[in-house]
Amino acid sequence: MSQLRLETLPAPAPLPTAPRRCSTTARLVRPALVLLPLVLVGAWALADRRAAYEGVARLASADPWWLLVAGACTCLTWVAAACVRQGALPERLPTGLLVASQFAAGAANQVLPAGIGAHAVTLRFLQRRGIPLSRATASLALYSLVKPVAKTVVLLAFLVAFPDVLRLGALVPDDRTLLLAAGGALLVLAATSVTLVTVRALRRPVLCFLRTALTDARELHTRPGRVLALWGGAAATPLLQGSVIATVGFSLGLPLSWTQVVLALLVAGTAVGAVPAPGGIGPVDAALVFTMAAFGAPVATATATVIGYRVLTVWLPLLPGALVLSALVHRKVL
């Protein structure tokens, strides 16, 4: 009787299912992320449309063969960036996707200042490849450290190799500027140290990050291929960027040598490269025009050269880079 009664009991009611709001949100987030780069690029281009139009108009009357060389050097800068990214990581990354991610990172870098956009894209790419967060952030830190060190080495090499060709009198900062720069660096270092000492919650993640970064850096420097990719790519980057500026200048009749143009870029980038402007646009451009003028170039030609350089390296690749970024997000590479 009890068995019969148990069999006739109604089936238990199903547990209430979780609302589908999460799945709906996830379904909407990815298209939004795919379209976000295009929206940001459109807004940025709309705000800067006058400079873009002026730059394209100036390039229309330039020597097309020199512009072709400048375009080839521009493409090589993305390859150099991919080499540095690979050299900063022990794991092997797919070459094609890595170069594509750096091309897309260039578009993201024009929207956010201080290289945040490029680092964010690269960090997402590394995490999608299964790289742990601590190792990925350590590779970004190594990348950010190696690039200015390599640029400084290249600058010193130019100063030693060409002491008579270059006139640096107008470019050397005075004692007050040097003292302000040194004081600012010491202030940042002291503030960082005090923060780490007083805020205990930051000690453990920072120490873990430093331990991972030092371990990876030591391992990478025992592998000749990684050392060549890391330091060779970092040293080649300013040379390629300077080559783009020089070839654009040659197409417009700039009366400077390749050596002077490259040094002008190195000096301008060292002087104001720390200013957090999107892609370095603004402060670096003004410093570059001033530096080339100090080397004897007419201000109008130097300005046209910098505008043409920005057209080739920023405005022309901006829409294709945003499309590649959207495609990588759509394919879940990012």
Side-chain angles (χ1 to χ4, degrees):
M1 219 26 213
S2 59
Q3 182 179 359
L4 182 60
R5 187 179 296 118
L6 287 175
E7 291 177 354
T8 57
L9 287 176
L15 294 175
T17 59
R20 297 185 177 180
R21 187 174 303 173
C22 295
S23 60
T24 304
T25 303
R27 197 180 301 115
L28 294 175
V29 165
R30 183 162 296 278
L33 291 176
V34 171
L35 294 176
L36 181 61
L38 300 178
V39 174
L40 293 176
V41 165
W44 189 88
L46 184 64
D48 217 13
R49 61 186 182 278
R50 180 177 299 179
Y53 176 78
E54 182 180 356
V56 173
R58 289 180 181 273
L59 289 181
S61 60
D63 186 343
W65 294 108
W66 279 119
L67 291 182
L68 185 62
V69 176
C73 293
T74 301
C75 295
L76 289 177
T77 57
W78 300 316
V79 177
C83 288
V84 183
R85 297 290 189 186
Q86 177 62 85
L89 200 66
E91 288 83 358
R92 180 69 177 174
L93 299 173
T95 304
L97 290 179
L98 179 59
V99 175
S101 70
Q102 295 311 295
F103 180 59
N109 204 39
Q110 308 309 325
V111 180
L112 298 176
I116 296 177
H119 287 327
V121 171
T122 303
L123 182 62
R124 183 63 175 171
F125 172 73
L126 295 180
Q127 289 188 288
R128 283 291 189 179
R129 304 307 303 177
I131 308 299
L133 180 61
S134 59
R135 175 161 289 176
T137 52
S139 72
L140 297 184
L142 182 60
Y143 174 91
S144 301
L145 176 63
V146 165
K147 287 196 70 176
V149 172
K151 181 184 289 187
T152 303
V153 172
V154 173
L155 174 60
L156 293 176
F158 266 71
L159 294 178
V160 172
F162 307 101
D164 300 328
V165 177
L166 309 173
R167 302 183 294 274
L168 297 175
L171 305 176
V172 178
D174 54 14
D175 295 339
R176 183 178 179 182
T177 303
L178 293 176
L179 288 176
L180 287 176
L186 291 176
L187 183 61
V188 171
L189 182 61
T192 304
S193 302
V194 170
T195 302
L196 291 177
V197 170
T198 55
V199 183
R200 295 183 178 181
L202 292 177
R203 294 181 194 173
R204 185 172 181 178
V206 169
L207 290 176
C208 179
F209 165 76
L210 291 176
R211 191 179 302 111
T212 303
L214 292 175
T215 302
D216 288 352
R218 184 169 58 250
E219 178 186 350
L220 288 169
H221 284 81
T222 61
R223 303 165 65 175
R226 292 293 189 270
V227 173
L228 179 61
L230 181 65
W231 291 99
T237 298
L239 297 178
L240 289 171
Q241 292 172 342
S243 298
V244 176
I245 300 173
T247 49
V248 171
F250 297 159
S251 71
L252 297 171
L254 184 71
L256 295 180
S257 65
W258 176 85
T259 304
Q260 289 175 313
V261 174
V262 173
L263 182 70
L265 174 65
L266 292 171
V267 172
T270 303
V272 297
V275 178
I281 297 176
V284 175
D285 292 347
L288 186 55
V289 171
F290 171 77
T291 307
M292 288 193 292
F295 285 153
V299 175
T301 308
T303 303
T305 299
V306 173
I307 292 177
Y309 165 69
R310 287 302 180 185
V311 169
L312 280 179
T313 59
V314 176
W315 293 315
L316 288 182
L318 197 57
L319 181 57
L323 292 174
V324 171
L325 181 59
S326 299
L328 292 178
V329 172
H330 181 70
R331 294 180 56 187
K332 300 183 180 181
V333 177
L334 297 178

